């Protein structure tokens, strides 16, 4: 607490925060833990740059922006990746017998001693933020394949691809080159925060691509002759039929990466060039988030937490595919998960397991779909039910029935807006009076790329451009635009953030839903009167904060957001 007070006093003395803001942050720290500086930044009382300057003053250790260094991959690899991630340290540069080490906690003397012993070098600690280190890891480890891969490929003889991992008796040789190559790709993908791996047969090679922050990057080209062995290896890992090459297949497996278990979901698809494989990475260590981490504005966050603790009713999360709906649902379940509640989910598929939650996998072949599963769940004395998706009238009717009989039900729909969800449910066949009675709230969201804080540039919006973008009232306001640096692969963006609108139907809106309405514009006007902040307004506020660019926001709005 002494260090907290010192940092706090510096921030107050320099006028960055007020005494009241520091007290609020200290109260939250007592409840939730965490570092006082991170809480102040998260609550919007100060910027990361201001926090860095204060820490540098208090600790007497220089702060560095890793983006200003040209990192040498060989220097970075002086420490194991799991060690870098666990302790939030990163070798920045080596000078003869010294190693400059960026650290979140440069006062950890035991850690410094351990790294000195491991490297045989004199360690010079410098201060950096956890976010900077994580982003640097993503940049320098995500798209770099195992340095031994060329050696592995050299060990592969074309005619031995199919049997290179078989030992006498049919057992698996875990040191076989093809297995080492597949493992190398998967480990690199996990370490680089990739969401998907694509192994795609081309005419003369195999193209391997990683998806990072929603965008695909080509990382490797492999010999075409390795395709069958690679696909067979993945099928064996995912418990799929290696002999079936004419039909699509799905499977999943677990693998330990950096001392934690990671789930992989595998899908194969026959193409003209051979079987294409897509692998979804389900890294629970980074994907199971708290509501506080979802990017909600303070107002929306308070409303969401209140909704999640409703005794009964239906709460829907909506948006297109890939908009983070499942992540939000899991965060809501985490928020209310306790020993007093019986929580049951119906999912297709189960992406992450949550301790204490009863999760059911949909199995249409066995006759277990959302509707039949929901009927069974209602006989299991649930307090909270999560249905992965409402797809048809039967499921919708059962969901409404469940929410009207004392259960809190979460689910998702593929709609473009909160008010559009009401129209969709009405079109499915749900009566307005039932919707008005059961609905407690709707969250509509989109994912957009987050601006790289290391290189973003200021942008004063001209009157002409403001009119062109349809936001004339924001003329002459300060926004930010992408630039590009080493940390963001010259893209100008790092990571993603959600834009949300949260609708809590009040009395007037429920009346409109129950009695019928002429257009969605009517609903939207009333929802705004009752406190809804539209996706556009939420995005503009985040653009003014420098979190996203106007370019990204306009993409969302033009696509129906």
């Amino acid at each position: 607490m002494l260090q907290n007070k010192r940092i706090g006093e510096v921030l107050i003395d320099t006028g960055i925060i007020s005494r009241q803001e520091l007290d609020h942050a200290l109260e939250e720290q007592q409840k939730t833990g965490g570092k006082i500086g991170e809480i102040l930044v998260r609550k919007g009382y100060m910027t990361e740059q201001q926090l860095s300057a204060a820490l540098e003053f208090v600790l007497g250790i220089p702060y560095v922006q890793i983006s200003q260094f040209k990192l040498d991959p060989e220097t970075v690899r002086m420490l194991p990746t799991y060690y870098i991630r666990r302790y939030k340290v990163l070798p920045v540069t080596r000078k003869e017998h010294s190693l400059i080490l960026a650290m979140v906690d440069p006062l950890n003397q035991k850690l410094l001693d351990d790294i000195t012993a491991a490297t045989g070098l004199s360690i010079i600690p410098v201060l950096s933020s956890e976010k900077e280190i994580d982003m640097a890891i993503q940049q320098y480890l995500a798209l770099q394949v195992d340095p031994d891969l060329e050696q592995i490929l050299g060990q592969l003889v074309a005619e031995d691809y199919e049997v290179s991992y078989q030992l006498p008796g049919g057992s698996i040789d875990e040191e076989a080159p093809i297995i080492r190559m597949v493992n190398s790709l998967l480990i690199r993908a996990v370490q680089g925060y990739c969401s998907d791996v694509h192994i795609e047969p081309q005419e003369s090679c195999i193209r391997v691509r990683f998806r990072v922050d929603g965008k695909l990057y080509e990382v490797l080209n492999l010999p075409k002759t390795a395709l069958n062995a690679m696909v067979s290896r993945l099928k064996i890992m995912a418990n799929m039929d290696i002999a079936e090459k004419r039909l699509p297949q799905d499977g999943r497996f677990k693998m330990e990466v950096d001392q934690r278990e990671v789930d992989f979901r595998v899908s194969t698809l026959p193409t003209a060039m051979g079987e294409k494989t897509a692998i979804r990475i389900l890294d629970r260590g980074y994907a199971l988030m708290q509501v506080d981490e979802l990017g909600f504005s303070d107002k929306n966050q308070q409303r969401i937490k209140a909704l999640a603790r409703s005794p009964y009713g239906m709460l829907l999360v909506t948006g297109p595919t890939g908009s983070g709906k499942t992540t939000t649902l899991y965060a809501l379940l985490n928020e209310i998960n306790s020993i007093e509640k019986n929580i049951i989910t119906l999912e297709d598929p189960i992406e992450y397991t949550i301790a204490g939650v009863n999760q059911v996998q949909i199995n249409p072949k066995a006759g277990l779909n959302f509707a039949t599963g929901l009927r069974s769940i209602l006989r299991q004395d649930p307090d909270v039910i999560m249905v992965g998706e409402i797809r048809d009238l039967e499921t919708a009717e059962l969901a409404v029935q469940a929410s009207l009989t004392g259960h809190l039900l979460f689910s998702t729909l593929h709609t473009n807006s909160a008010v559009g969800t009401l129209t969709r449910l009405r079109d499915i066949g749900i009566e307005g009076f039932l919707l008005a009675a059961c609905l407690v709230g709707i969250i509509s969201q989109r994912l957009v790329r987050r601006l790289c804080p290391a290189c973003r540039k200021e942008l004063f919006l001209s009157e002409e451009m403001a009119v062109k973008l349809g936001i004339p009232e924001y003329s002459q306001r300060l926004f930010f635009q992408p630039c590009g640096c080493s940390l963001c692969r010259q893209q100008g963006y790092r990571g993603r953030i959600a834009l949300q609108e949260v609708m809590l139907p009040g009395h007037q809106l429920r009346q409109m839903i129950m009695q019928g309405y002429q257009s969605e514009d009517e609903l939207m006007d009333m929802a705004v009167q009752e406190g809804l902040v539209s996706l556009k307004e939420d995005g503009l506020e985040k653009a003014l904060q420098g979190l996203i660019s106007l370019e990204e926001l306009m993409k969302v709005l033009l696509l129906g957001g």
Side-chain angles (χ1 to χ4, degrees):
M1 290 299 292
L2 177 61
Q3 187 182 13
N4 288 345
K5 290 181 180 178
R6 290 179 62 195
I7 293 173
E9 294 302 326
V10 170
L11 296 172
I12 292 172
D13 291 343
T14 53
I16 295 174
I17 64 172
S18 66
R19 172 69 62 181
Q20 185 179 23
E21 288 171 336
L22 176 60
D23 290 342
H24 287 163
L26 288 170
E27 287 176 10
E28 181 169 331
Q29 186 188 44
Q30 290 179 346
K31 295 177 183 177
T32 63
K35 297 179 180 178
I36 191 68
E38 293 176 356
I39 295 172
L40 288 165
V41 172
R42 186 172 67 243
K43 294 179 77 67
Y45 295 154
M46 62 186 299
T47 66
E48 286 191 357
Q49 290 77 11
Q50 290 169 327
L51 173 62
S52 301
L55 288 171
E56 184 174 1
F57 179 82
V58 170
L59 300 178
I61 296 174
Y63 177 86
V64 299
Q65 282 190 307
I66 298 176
S67 59
Q68 296 177 350
F69 289 83
K70 185 175 182 180
L71 299 187
D72 175 18
E74 291 299 324
T75 301
V76 174
R77 283 196 289 266
M78 292 183 72
L79 292 178
T81 304
Y82 78 88
Y83 201 85
I84 291 173
R85 289 188 186 280
R86 179 176 180 181
Y87 296 107
K88 303 301 178 184
V89 297
L90 186 71
V92 173
T93 185
R94 179 177 178 176
K95 295 182 178 179
E96 296 183 352
H97 302 293
S98 298
L99 180 68
I100 296 178
L101 187 72
M103 307 178 68
V104 171
D105 182 12
L107 299 180
N108 189 335
Q109 189 58 51
K110 183 179 185 306
L111 180 59
L112 289 170
D113 292 341
D114 289 345
I115 295 175
T116 298
T119 62
L121 299 173
S122 174
I123 305 301
I124 302 174
V126 294
L127 181 66
S128 188
S129 70
E130 183 173 339
K131 183 179 291 185
E132 281 263 323
I133 291 176
D134 282 342
M135 289 301 180
I137 293 170
Q138 178 176 325
Q139 163 62 18
Y140 287 94
L141 297 181
L143 305 181
Q144 293 179 18
V145 181
D146 191 325
D148 296 329
L149 186 60
E150 289 188 11
Q151 178 187 355
I152 295 173
L153 289 172
Q155 295 173 2
L156 291 168
V157 181
E159 60 266 27
D160 291 337
Y161 275 123
E162 292 287 358
V163 294
S164 60
Y165 52 83
Q166 297 287 346
L167 289 174
S171 60
I172 301 297
D173 179 7
E174 295 295 339
E175 293 300 315
I178 196 70
I179 292 179
R180 290 169 56 203
M181 181 169 64
V182 170
N183 289 348
S184 174
L185 288 175
L186 297 177
I187 290 169
R188 281 299 178 197
V190 172
Q191 291 174 343
Y193 304 102
C194 300
S195 61
D196 301 86
V197 176
H198 291 257
I199 301 173
E200 304 166 313
Q202 306 295 300
E203 189 170 355
S204 58
C205 67
I206 306 169
R207 180 175 67 179
V208 179
R209 294 191 291 174
F210 289 172
R211 188 179 295 279
V212 182
D213 295 339
K215 187 174 181 179
L216 284 168
Y217 297 87
E218 184 171 323
V219 297
L220 187 65
N221 282 311
L222 295 171
K224 183 70 175 286
T225 48
L227 179 65
N228 288 339
M230 287 186 70
V231 175
S232 294
R233 173 57 185 161
L234 287 165
K235 285 181 176 179
I236 289 172
M237 296 172 75
N239 197 28
M240 296 155 67
D241 184 357
I242 63 172
E244 180 56 76
K245 301 181 180 181
R246 299 169 299 172
L247 296 174
Q249 293 190 69
D250 296 291
R252 63 190 303 155
F253 64 90
K254 298 177 186 287
M255 191 169 89
E256 187 173 291
V257 179
D258 292 344
Q259 299 183 330
R260 70 181 186 279
E261 200 171 63
V262 178
D263 289 333
F264 298 86
R265 201 166 70 218
V266 183
S267 172
T268 62
L269 180 71
T271 72
M273 298 294 175
E275 284 187 283
K276 177 189 182 301
T277 306
I279 307 167
R280 169 64 56 88
I281 298 173
L282 305 170
D283 191 348
R284 183 181 176 193
Y286 293 98
L288 281 179
M289 305 173 72
Q290 304 298 321
V291 172
D292 296 353
E293 302 172 307
L294 294 178
F296 285 102
S297 64
D298 288 342
K299 177 182 177 181
N300 280 342
Q301 184 173 301
Q302 291 171 4
R303 302 175 95 197
I304 286 301
K305 287 188 174 182
L307 282 176
R309 298 188 183 281
S310 300
Y312 57 86
M314 183 162 65
L315 174 57
L316 300 175
V317 182
T318 73
T321 300
S323 59
K325 298 187 297 295
T326 302
T327 300
T328 298
L329 280 178
Y330 277 127
L332 291 171
L333 291 178
N334 266 333
E335 178 72 19
I336 62 173
N337 189 14
S338 69
I339 194 68
E340 294 87 6
K341 284 186 169 63
N342 178 21
I343 302 175
I344 307 179
T345 73
L346 274 175
E347 304 177 60
D348 185 22
I350 296 173
E351 295 198 3
Y352 305 98
T353 56
I354 306 176
V357 174
N358 305 287
Q359 296 174 265
V360 180
Q361 168 73 54
I362 292 300
N363 187 353
K365 291 182 179 179
L368 178 59
N369 55 31
F370 284 119
T372 56
L374 190 48
R375 283 197 184 90
S376 298
I377 283 177
L378 290 172
R379 296 191 290 270
Q380 288 288 320
D381 185 32
D383 297 297
V384 181
I385 303 169
M386 192 269 272
V387 178
E389 184 182 349
I390 293 176
R391 298 175 179 173
D392 52 42
L393 176 59
E394 186 180 12
T395 306
E397 287 178 334
L398 287 168
V400 169
Q401 177 188 342
S403 61
L404 288 173
T405 54
H407 307 95
L408 179 60
L409 184 134
F410 299 151
S411 192
T412 70
L413 273 174
H414 288 86
T415 60
N416 287 329
S417 64
V419 295
T421 303
L422 298 171
T423 302
R424 174 72 185 280
L425 288 170
R426 186 180 67 176
D427 292 343
I428 286 177
I430 302 300
E431 297 289 345
F433 73 92
L434 291 174
L435 274 180
C438 75
L439 198 63
V440 294
I442 301 173
I443 306 168
S444 180
Q445 64 183 53
R446 300 289 187 281
L447 285 180
V448 297
R449 291 185 295 172
R450 185 192 291 264
L451 278 169
C452 173
C455 64
R456 65 186 182 188
K457 295 194 304 185
E458 292 184 347
L459 169 68
F460 283 97
L461 191 61
S462 68
E463 184 176 348
E464 178 184 357
M465 184 58 68
V467 171
K468 184 177 180 181
L469 294 175
I471 49 175
E473 66 274 24
Y474 286 86
S475 174
Q476 307 305 315
R477 298 292 297 275
L478 176 62
F479 291 90
F480 294 84
Q481 59 184 331
C483 181
C485 67
S486 60
L487 280 183
C488 59
R489 297 183 293 277
Q490 305 303 321
Q491 298 295 311
Y493 298 95
R494 293 192 308 184
R496 290 191 289 178
I497 188 172
L499 308 183
Q500 302 107 341
E501 59 184 23
V502 181
M503 174 190 287
L504 276 65
H507 176 72
Q508 294 296 326
L509 193 57
R510 290 184 189 277
Q511 287 294 317
M512 292 180 67
I513 297 170
M514 185 165 52
Q515 297 171 3
Y517 52 90
Q518 297 300 314
S519 69
E520 290 185 4
D521 290 340
E522 287 183 62
L523 285 176
M524 189 64 179
D525 291 341
M526 182 55 67
V528 169
Q529 290 180 39
E530 294 184 348
L532 179 140
V533 176
S534 68
L535 279 174
K536 179 179 178 180
E537 293 299 325
D538 187 53
L540 284 168
E541 182 60 34
K542 286 169 179 169
L544 286 169
Q545 294 172 14
L547 298 175
I548 67 172
S549 67
L550 287 173
E551 178 185 9
E552 283 290 292
L553 175 59
M554 292 305 150
K555 283 181 184 178
V556 167
L557 298 179
L558 289 173
L559 291 173

